[in-house]
Every structure is written in C-alpha cells, then in structure tokens.
Amino acid sequence: MSGSGMLYGGDEIGALVFDPGHHSLRVGYAQDDTPKADIPSVVGVGPADPVMNSDLETKADNNIGSTNKYYVDTTHINVARPNMEIQSYMKDGMIENWDLFEKVIDYVYAKVVQSDSVYHPVLFSESAWNVRNNRERLTELMLEKYNVPAFFLVKNAVLAAFANGRATALVVDSGATHTSAVPVHEGYVLSQAVVKSPLGGDYLSLQCRHYLEGQNIDLTPTYGIASKDVIKERDTARFTPKELPEKLTASWQQYMLKGLLQDFQMSVVQVLETPYDERTAAQIPAVHYEFPNGYHQDFGPERFKLAESLFDHNMLGAGQLASASVGMCDADVRLSLYGSVVVTGGNSLLPGFAERLNRDLQHRAPSNTRLKMISANGSVERRFGAWIGGSILGSIGTFQQMWISSQEYEESGKSQVERKCP
C-alpha cells in the first residue's frame, strides 16, 4: 500500500481493466459486467489539416512541425478521408507500435474514462507468449507517463478461465489473427504447452472474400453507396455510387471491406458438427444475406465449407491444437484440463464452433477422460472473456495486495513486473 493510505480496492477507487487484442481494445471499470468501450485496434493516420487543428477529434502531437493527425475509434476511423492510412499497433498478440498505442490510451482517458490516469489502478491483460521486454515497457509506460497509482499484468488465458469460474482449464481462444490453446493450472499458465495457429477470424474473412469474388459478387462497402433499388433475388444490383473524396488509401479501403466480410461471416458462415459432408450440409436450411449494394441471395452448403478450414487442417485445426497442448502437459493435470475446456474469443462465436471442437476433442482424448466444454452462451461473455475475468480479479479483496504500487516501482523499477506478475 502506498504511504498516503489510499485504498486501491473497495469502493474508493475504480480500477480500470484493459484487454488489448488484434480486433479491438476492451476498456472498462473492474466490477462492471461488460467493458465501457470496445475500440478498434487500429489508428487512422492522416496529414494534419492546418485549418482543422482546433478540432478535438484527436489533436496532432504538440510538437511544432508534427504533420500527422491521428484518428481513434470507430466514428473517426470509418469516415472516408483523403490520404488516411489505417495502421494497427498489434503484432502477433503483442503491442508493437507504441506511439500509436499511446494515442489510443490518451483517447481512452480523455473520452471514455473522462478522468485522470493518476486516480485509477490499471490491470492489463497480455498474451501467454508476451516477452519480457514488452512487459517491462508497458509497466514503465503506465507508471511513468500515465502515473497510475498501481499496475498489474495478467495472462489473458488465466482471466478467461476466471471469467468461467475456473482456476484450472484448457483455454481455447479463437480471435482475429490466431487461435491458441493455453493450459492454465491453478491460475498459472503452463507456458511450455502453449500452442497457437494463424487461423482465426481474419483468415476466415479472406476465405469468404475469395469465395464471394469467385462468385462475381460485387463487394462495395456501405460507404460507397448513395442509394440502391429493391431487386429480386440474384438479380444484378442497381445502386448509385456515392461521390467519394479522392486519394482514399488502399489500407482504409481494405479495412472497410474487412468490416463487410466480418458481417457476412457472422451472419452466414456456420460450422458443421461433423467433418464437412456435402449431403449433410445440403439438408440444413440455407441462409439469406443481402449485401450493402442491395444484391441478395441464399447461401447453402458452401457456408459450412468456408468454416471447415478452421477445423480440418491436419496440424492447425482447433481440435488438434487443444489435444496437442494437453499432450505436452504432465500426465497428472491432463484429466483436469480435459474436464474444463474454456472456449473464448470473438471468432468462437461462429455458430457450431464449440460443438465441433467438443466432437473433435472427444475423438482425440483418451477413452477414460470426462470431457467438459465450458462455452458461455452469451456473445458478450465469449467476446470479452478475458476482460470479464480482469473485472472480477480487479475487484476481489484478496487481490488488492498483489498490485505493483507506484511506490514499489520507484523503489525497484520495471523489473518488478517479472517478479510480481506471473
């Protein structure tokens, strides 16, 4: 505890929980059920407009001569602006571009929390394979630049397990850029058995895009459409294109197209409970979908085929990852891991994902194991699993002595994080 007698836990102070991912950064107060904000993990970087500099969207750097303006959050990013590049600050589950990341944190304190950083302890989630250098840099950033009173880092798999009421679990997390299987034992990650594959939501979007382009379906996102006519199914779309500013960057157009594909995959794509079979898939009712330009049609068996790549891959299928991860653990924890397989991450919301994983694991697990899948029914619990775990952890009384306080940091520096945060 710090000398001022300030209480970290309890009602006095709301600790903030940050859960960074490739799709978005979730932020909110500990004790809440859901994050206060879900901010895309990208920043729009455009040339500063000398006339608009008084504008408060996100001001350009205070250094004179800075020529860039930064746009954070959906409402600013989704505007068509000339020469605005979209850049992500994440790479391989870790923060890579710290300057952009700081812009987002500044935005969070200014617009989301609307309070100074010095008043709120901060709990951050991190990927199971985060490296020491990154952990120390984040600790340094939060305690020095933002002067937070206390700081803590927890592995996101541990938090997802906590959110589902487990201290020991095999956490299968399928997100935007990758799917991973992380064994957690008594609240600690067994790091030698972490397995990950690059098949996630973005890979699926790519599959959808190849398929739709192969069908010659026009993928004009909403921003390019001024008005459209009602047409019969499978008729050519009739729409009036919108007049757009010149010099729209390729990265921004790709980002907007990705939004369209994500909507398509969440509405249409589904996972079959058994390995893909044309006859089985053909018996399931088709799903109707309308594209932004007004074109619409039914999608039948092909919608199952798209998702199949997440499971039928010899090495990288979700079932293979999970069983490989358990196989790398000690024999005495395997039963308890199979007994609580926690499914989390936005990509796991594909209908049928958990059921298929359950079936694949049953085929791979030894015959005497009792397999139990824990997949929260609500989409909120599954998308924000790690954040909710952080919210629970940050508000538990016994956790309050675990924080790295600003005083401890001043005494022994950033290496504290390796000692105090497993």
Side-chain angles (χ1 to χ4, degrees):
M1 288 290 173
S2 67
S4 61
M6 184 159 89
L7 200 68
Y8 288 142
D11 303 328
E12 275 77 353
I13 282 179
L16 286 173
V17 179
F18 287 80
D19 175 29
H22 273 271
H23 179 259
S24 60
L25 164 73
R26 283 71 65 177
V27 190
Y29 287 105
Q31 298 179 343
D32 282 0
D33 298 341
T34 51
K36 198 169 163 66
D38 183 33
I39 301 165
S41 296
V42 293
V43 175
V45 183
D49 186 347
V51 192
M52 301 283 279
N53 257 354
S54 58
D55 188 11
L56 267 175
E57 275 173 17
T58 47
K59 48 186 184 301
D61 292 353
N62 297 332
N63 332 342
I64 307 300
S66 159
T67 52
N68 282 346
K69 189 168 178 187
Y70 298 88
Y71 301 93
V72 181
D73 213 352
T74 318
T75 45
H76 299 313
I77 291 173
N78 288 9
V79 178
R81 304 175 200 274
N83 299 321
M84 179 175 75
E85 294 284 355
I86 294 289
Q87 296 176 9
S88 174
Y89 52 78
M90 298 290 286
K91 186 178 179 192
D92 195 27
M94 298 180 279
I95 298 162
E96 186 192 42
N97 188 327
W98 291 87
D99 295 339
L100 290 184
F101 182 64
E102 283 179 43
K103 296 279 180 284
V104 178
I105 299 291
D106 292 340
Y107 172 87
V108 166
Y109 281 117
K111 294 282 195 285
V112 178
V113 182
Q114 297 182 355
S115 162
D116 284 340
S117 52
V118 290
Y119 300 123
H120 307 276
V122 166
L123 175 76
F124 251 91
S125 80
E126 56 169 354
S127 62
W129 50 88
N130 202 4
V131 291
R132 176 170 185 161
N133 196 357
N134 265 6
R135 308 182 76 196
E136 291 185 349
R137 184 153 181 189
L138 182 60
T139 312
E140 194 173 10
L141 175 74
M142 295 314 291
L143 283 153
E144 291 199 6
K145 180 179 173 188
Y146 294 100
N147 296 318
V148 297
F151 176 77
F152 203 72
L153 255 180
V154 199
K155 304 268 184 273
N156 52 20
V158 173
L159 295 177
F162 284 170
N164 288 284
R166 298 288 191 281
T168 299
L170 174 68
V171 179
V172 179
D173 181 346
S174 187
T177 51
H178 51 262
T179 298
S180 61
V182 181
V184 176
H185 183 65
E186 301 298 344
Y188 292 93
V189 167
L190 305 175
S191 51
Q192 83 285 355
V194 173
V195 192
K196 67 184 203 294
S197 90
L199 307 184
D202 290 355
Y203 170 75
L204 192 56
S205 298
L206 197 64
Q207 300 280 88
C208 292
R209 183 178 172 181
H210 287 323
Y211 167 72
L212 294 169
E213 284 175 350
Q215 298 285 315
N216 291 325
I217 293 174
D218 174 25
L219 298 176
T220 309
T222 323
Y223 71 82
I225 293 163
S227 65
K228 59 184 177 186
D229 296 344
V230 178
I231 52 168
K232 289 201 178 81
E233 188 175 336
R234 289 184 184 269
D235 278 2
T236 317
R238 292 195 300 271
F239 66 95
T240 317
K242 203 184 223 166
E243 293 219 355
L244 293 168
E246 288 175 6
K247 298 185 184 163
L248 291 179
T249 61
S251 64
W252 183 79
Q253 291 176 353
Q254 289 297 335
Y255 176 76
M256 298 304 282
L257 175 61
K258 199 161 117 182
L260 169 91
L261 294 167
Q262 280 165 353
D263 182 70
F264 173 79
Q265 76 195 44
M266 277 305 161
S267 313
V268 175
V269 177
Q270 194 170 340
V271 186
L272 264 185
E273 204 167 321
T274 52
Y276 180 76
D277 167 51
E278 189 86 39
R279 284 212 307 280
T280 324
Q283 290 164 359
I284 299 172
V287 164
H288 196 78
Y289 186 78
E290 179 177 333
F291 292 87
N293 63 8
Y295 175 82
H296 58 104
Q297 71 164 75
D298 280 349
F299 289 92
E302 59 275 12
R303 64 198 188 91
F304 295 100
K305 197 161 185 177
L306 289 166
E308 195 61 21
S309 52
L310 297 173
F311 287 92
D312 70 353
H313 203 288
N314 289 341
M315 305 284 287
L316 304 172
Q320 284 86 330
L321 292 182
S323 55
S325 172
V326 176
M328 288 152 96
C329 297
D330 284 349
D332 46 354
V333 296
R334 286 179 197 166
L335 283 175
S336 57
L337 290 175
Y338 273 129
S340 52
V341 179
V342 169
V343 180
T344 186
N347 194 43
S348 72
L349 289 169
L350 280 174
F353 187 96
E355 292 78 0
R356 175 65 181 276
L357 181 61
N358 188 20
R359 180 205 161 274
D360 284 7
L361 275 180
Q362 250 154 0
H363 280 261
R364 294 172 170 277
S367 53
N368 60 346
T369 45
R370 218 186 99 259
L371 185 64
K372 180 157 194 247
M373 297 287 288
I374 303 159
S375 53
N377 287 334
S379 61
V380 172
E381 286 87 342
R382 200 102 58 91
R383 268 179 66 196
F384 304 140
W387 187 90
I388 292 171
S391 170
I392 293 167
L393 187 64
S395 54
I396 290 177
T398 47
F399 173 70
Q400 304 312 322
Q401 67 242 22
M402 312 269 288
W403 294 102
I404 299 174
S405 68
S406 48
Q407 191 183 1
E408 279 175 281
Y409 176 76
E410 276 157 27
E411 285 162 13
S412 40
K414 61 188 175 187
S415 55
Q416 282 288 81
V417 72
E418 286 297 305
R419 191 175 66 77
K420 290 195 79 166
C421 310

